[in-house]
Every structure is written in C-alpha cells, then in structure tokens.
Amino acid sequence: MSTFKKSIAIVTPWPPQTSGIADYAYELASCMIGPSVAVHIITNERAPVALPGAVIHHVDEILAGELNLANFDAVLVQLGNHPNFHGYMQDIIKGVPCIVELHDLLLHHCVMGDEGMSTGGQRYYEWLARFYGPAVEKQFRRFLAEDEDILRCPIARDYPCSDVIVASAAHVIVHSEYAKRVLRQLGMKSNVSVLNLCQLPLDVSVPTSQDCAGLRIGVFGGVQRNRQIDAILSVLGRIEARFEAWSLDVVGSVEADCENLLEMPHTLGIGEKTRFHGRLALGALETIMRQCDIVVSLRNPTMGETSGVVTRAMQMGIPVIVSDVGWYSELPPCVLKIDNGHVHEELEKVLWKLLTDAALREELALQTLDFASRRLDMRVAADDILLLALHSCSSQCAGGSSEDIFDGSRAV
C-alpha cells in the first residue's frame, strides 16, 4: 500500500443488516474516509449499502485468497455477540494483527454459532471446556439444561468468552470502565482503551419547555427480559391514576418470551396510551425519538453492553432514565439513574418528577446537549480510533507492543 495514503480494513456488520453495530460502523467509516486514508469494508452482507469513497468486500474474498488483510496498514474489527454478524470474525482476530472494538462483553451467542443450542450445543461446550476447563463447562451445561437463556446464567459474566476471543488482538477498545475492569480481572494482557460510544452529531435545537399535556415517553431497542419493560408498564399503570397526560412508544422487535407484554398495557388500563411499533429502520426510529420528552433505557442484569439509543437520545437533548449498573452508571449526572434493587419505587419517583416538572426537563435537556456536543461526537472518535488502529497494528507487526496512547480523557 502507498507510503503516503494509509489503508484500513474494517471488518464489520453492514447495512442493511439489522444491527446497531452495522449502523455505527457506517457512520464511523464515513468519518475516516479522506485524502490520506483508504477505507475498505469487509462484511458478510451480500447486498451492502454503498458508502461513497469506501471499497466494500465480501468476507468470502479472504477465503478465496483474493483479499489479504496483511496488506492493509490497519485492521479494525467491530465485534459483537450476534453469531451471524460476528461469528466469522473470531478466525480473523486470531489470524492477523488487528484492533478490536468490543461492543458486547458477553459473546456466548457468538461462540454458539447460528444454530445456537438447537443441535445440543456440543461445539459450544467443547469450546468452554477448552478455554475455561471441564468444571466450568459442566456448570454451564447444568444451567442450560434448565434455562435456555444464557444471559440469565449467574456465571456468564465471570466467563464472558470475550476475554478469550480478543486475547490475541493488538489492542482492544471498549466503551466503559466496567468492561475494561472485567477484562483486566480475567487476565487480559492486550492493551485496552476506553473511548466513549459516539455517533454523528444531529442538527438539534434546544428543546423548549412545554406544559404537561401529551408528554411522550420512549423505550427503544429489542424488547427483552432484561430491559424491564414490565416494570416500566407497571409504574405507568400506577402513575395513570394521578397523571393522565402521557403516552408510551416502545420501539424494537419483541422476543418470544416477552410477547405477554403486548397484552400487559390493556390489563393495566393503559392500552390506549401504549404503542408497540416493532423494529423500525434507523430513520423512523429517530423520527419517533425526536418527538419524545423522556427516554427510559433499563437493564437488569447488564451484560457489559453500551446503548446507542441512550447516546442518540442525549444528542437530541432528551432527558434519559437508566439503570445504575455497568456502563450506564458511568454516564454523567444529567442522565438519571435508578437502583435495580428498588426499580419500581425509584422509577415511579423519577418519572413522576420528570412528567410534572417542565423546568427540570428543560434543565436536563440543556445539560445533556452540552455533554453530547463535547463528548459524543463521532468525528472526534473516528480520528482517535484510526490513530490507535494504525499505531497498534504497526507496533504488533514490528514485534513490539502497543501502549494505551490515550489518557482516558475521551471517556465519560
């Protein structure tokens, strides 16, 4: 590759794949393209959305010997838990010096593969035994014999799989001190940097204070058990008796074990005020989010994940309520946090205050917009990630080690 123009290969899910990481990678790549940087996308998407200035390759080109990742100045892998979108990346991480941007701390589904546990999970159990030992493998086997949801396994966070998968990476980027701490506790020897989860800035005006009529509450992302949608509905059912001027939008696909939630609003007498939209394209999701006065994003338990929904809401200047766990605990004070041990009581108290106090909503909106403009700008993050990728991959190729070249000032 040219001495003057650096090249980076980004291994990633890609639109139209239904992945938040795909949308993130599209924005990240668009910010890296420039006269001194050639951006190549490697994905398993068969009909990828074009990005002007980027060259898009199918991962099969590597298998066919038509594309050699060693020819790039840097390789950046966008790693998450979805087996179809990320499973093939495990071999790439082992095979070439690269930097990994780790979006999900728990990668059990990625290890299980597309078939999951439907064929008995023998490959998954063999993997666990190989890297964590037979005793640990037996604990997972016993749990999964009773409950098929690995994310509910009490030891899943102690053995997240990510520590093994990224062990050979030249450098690892995470988006929370929580994730970095877990990796370090598990003996992670690669250098780990914490950078904020960023997105392209939006053209947003400062929200104006409004009265309490018709306030919209938004919940965005897949409807899963750990999102505590049942708690949100229960709390709104109680608030309804004292305050009626609200509505709830729930945007995201509903998991099979959460389908009972679709009837819960009617049982609580708030069916006419609650709408389940299902999964929407990013543009449609953002249209609804812009109309919201409050966004709620709860996790119990957290699996070390971050939330593009939360950072997007912050960029829009929308007051946000989150659980006081993991990455969410590290968000600034303008993001309101509740204790999962008292979720109903605390959520009701915080929601009531936001619904009835327009001055508080406006104050939080201003603080949130200010923070997002300074700390959540993808254009700054893209420069940081590109610099770190080029530095880390060149250091490993030269037989050296990459040190953390950031001092933590980019993180929340």
Side-chain angles (χ1 to χ4, degrees):
M1 294 293 178
S2 169
T3 303
F4 301 101
K5 188 166 188 174
K6 296 296 185 180
S7 61
I8 183 170
I10 305 177
V11 184
T12 182
W14 195 254
Q17 289 178 328
T18 54
S19 161
I21 298 174
D23 297 328
Y24 169 86
Y26 187 94
E27 291 191 353
L28 178 66
S30 70
C31 292
M32 289 184 175
I33 294 169
S36 61
V37 180
V39 175
H40 292 250
I41 305 300
I42 290 89
T43 180
N44 65 352
E45 168 57 41
R46 293 290 180 185
V49 172
L51 175 62
V55 180
I56 301 179
H57 308 268
H58 193 275
V59 68
D60 285 351
E61 293 181 38
I62 299 175
L63 301 176
E66 300 168 359
L67 183 68
N68 186 352
L69 292 180
N71 291 334
F72 293 91
D73 295 299
V75 177
L76 171 64
V77 179
Q78 298 290 328
L79 183 60
N81 189 36
H82 195 289
N84 181 48
F85 300 152
H86 303 278
Y88 68 92
M89 297 177 185
Q90 297 177 62
D91 290 334
I92 290 176
I93 294 169
K94 289 186 294 184
V96 64
C98 65
I99 180 170
V100 174
E101 187 167 0
L102 182 62
H103 293 270
D104 295 314
L105 188 60
L106 269 66
L107 300 181
H108 287 267
H109 291 123
C110 189
V111 173
M112 289 177 185
D114 289 336
E115 73 274 7
M117 302 301 290
S118 61
T119 58
Q122 189 57 36
R123 185 178 67 177
Y124 170 64
Y125 290 130
E126 290 174 355
W127 191 97
L128 291 174
R130 176 184 177 189
F131 292 106
Y132 293 132
V136 171
E137 178 263 330
K138 289 179 181 177
Q139 292 183 67
F140 279 101
R141 191 183 288 270
R142 284 196 296 268
F143 174 85
L144 289 169
E146 302 293 333
D147 188 335
E148 63 181 14
D149 187 353
I150 188 63
L151 299 184
R152 290 198 290 266
C153 180
I155 64 169
R157 282 169 288 177
D158 299 325
Y159 305 97
C161 299
S162 58
D163 59 317
V164 175
I165 293 174
V166 304
S168 60
H171 206 106
V172 178
I173 294 173
V174 294
H175 297 295
S176 70
E177 291 292 342
Y178 171 84
K180 179 177 180 178
R181 186 168 58 252
V182 170
L183 290 175
R184 289 296 190 211
Q185 290 170 348
L186 291 168
M188 184 75 194
K189 295 181 179 179
S190 297
N191 291 289
V192 182
S193 292
V194 181
L195 298 178
N196 286 337
L197 178 66
C198 297
Q199 294 170 315
L200 284 175
L202 300 168
D203 182 15
V204 179
S205 58
V206 176
T208 56
S209 177
Q210 54 184 296
D211 59 23
C212 294
L215 294 174
R216 293 183 70 172
I217 303 164
V219 177
F220 299 86
V223 178
Q224 303 167 357
R225 286 191 182 184
N226 75 325
R227 307 294 174 90
Q228 302 188 88
I229 308 298
D230 55 342
I232 297 170
L233 293 171
S234 295
V235 165
L236 287 172
R238 292 205 296 269
I239 287 177
E240 172 70 4
R242 296 178 291 156
F243 183 90
E244 299 181 354
W246 62 269
S247 62
L248 174 67
D249 293 284
V250 182
V251 178
S253 56
V254 180
E255 296 288 326
D257 61 355
C258 291
E259 290 180 352
N260 62 302
L261 296 176
L262 298 174
E263 295 301 321
M264 189 173 176
H266 301 284
T267 304
L268 295 170
I270 56 174
E272 294 184 359
K273 295 185 174 184
T274 303
R275 182 177 178 186
F276 285 87
H277 295 264
R279 182 179 176 85
L280 298 178
L282 181 60
L285 179 150
E286 290 182 350
T287 296
I288 294 177
M289 185 179 287
R290 287 177 184 273
Q291 298 167 5
C292 288
D293 302 277
I294 302 165
V295 167
V296 184
S297 184
L298 304 183
R299 295 291 190 281
N300 186 26
T302 179
M303 297 302 165
E305 75 279 16
T306 54
S307 172
V309 162
V310 170
T311 55
R312 182 61 87 202
M314 293 176 70
Q315 287 183 321
M316 293 181 183
I318 302 172
V320 183
I321 302 171
V322 301
S323 302
D324 194 7
V325 293
W327 171 78
Y328 302 88
S329 295
E330 300 170 24
L331 293 169
C334 56
V335 177
L336 303 181
K337 304 169 186 72
I338 61 171
D339 180 2
N340 275 332
H342 306 89
V343 60
H344 290 83
E345 298 85 347
E346 291 201 8
L347 181 59
E348 183 172 358
K349 180 180 178 180
V350 173
L351 259 180
W352 172 259
K353 184 66 174 174
L354 283 177
L355 286 169
T356 58
D357 191 337
L360 175 61
R361 293 197 305 274
E362 185 169 359
E363 178 185 356
L364 291 175
L366 290 168
Q367 293 175 4
T368 298
L369 275 175
D370 176 67
F371 179 89
S373 66
R374 291 183 292 107
R375 307 300 288 274
L376 302 180
D377 190 332
M378 173 67 84
R379 296 168 298 185
V380 176
D383 289 342
D384 289 344
I385 293 170
L386 179 60
L387 174 63
L388 187 52
L390 292 169
H391 174 82
S392 299
C393 293
S394 63
S395 295
Q396 185 161 352
C397 286
S401 63
S402 75
E403 297 179 355
D404 190 341
I405 62 176
F406 298 117
D407 60 6
S409 61
R410 299 296 195 197
V412 173

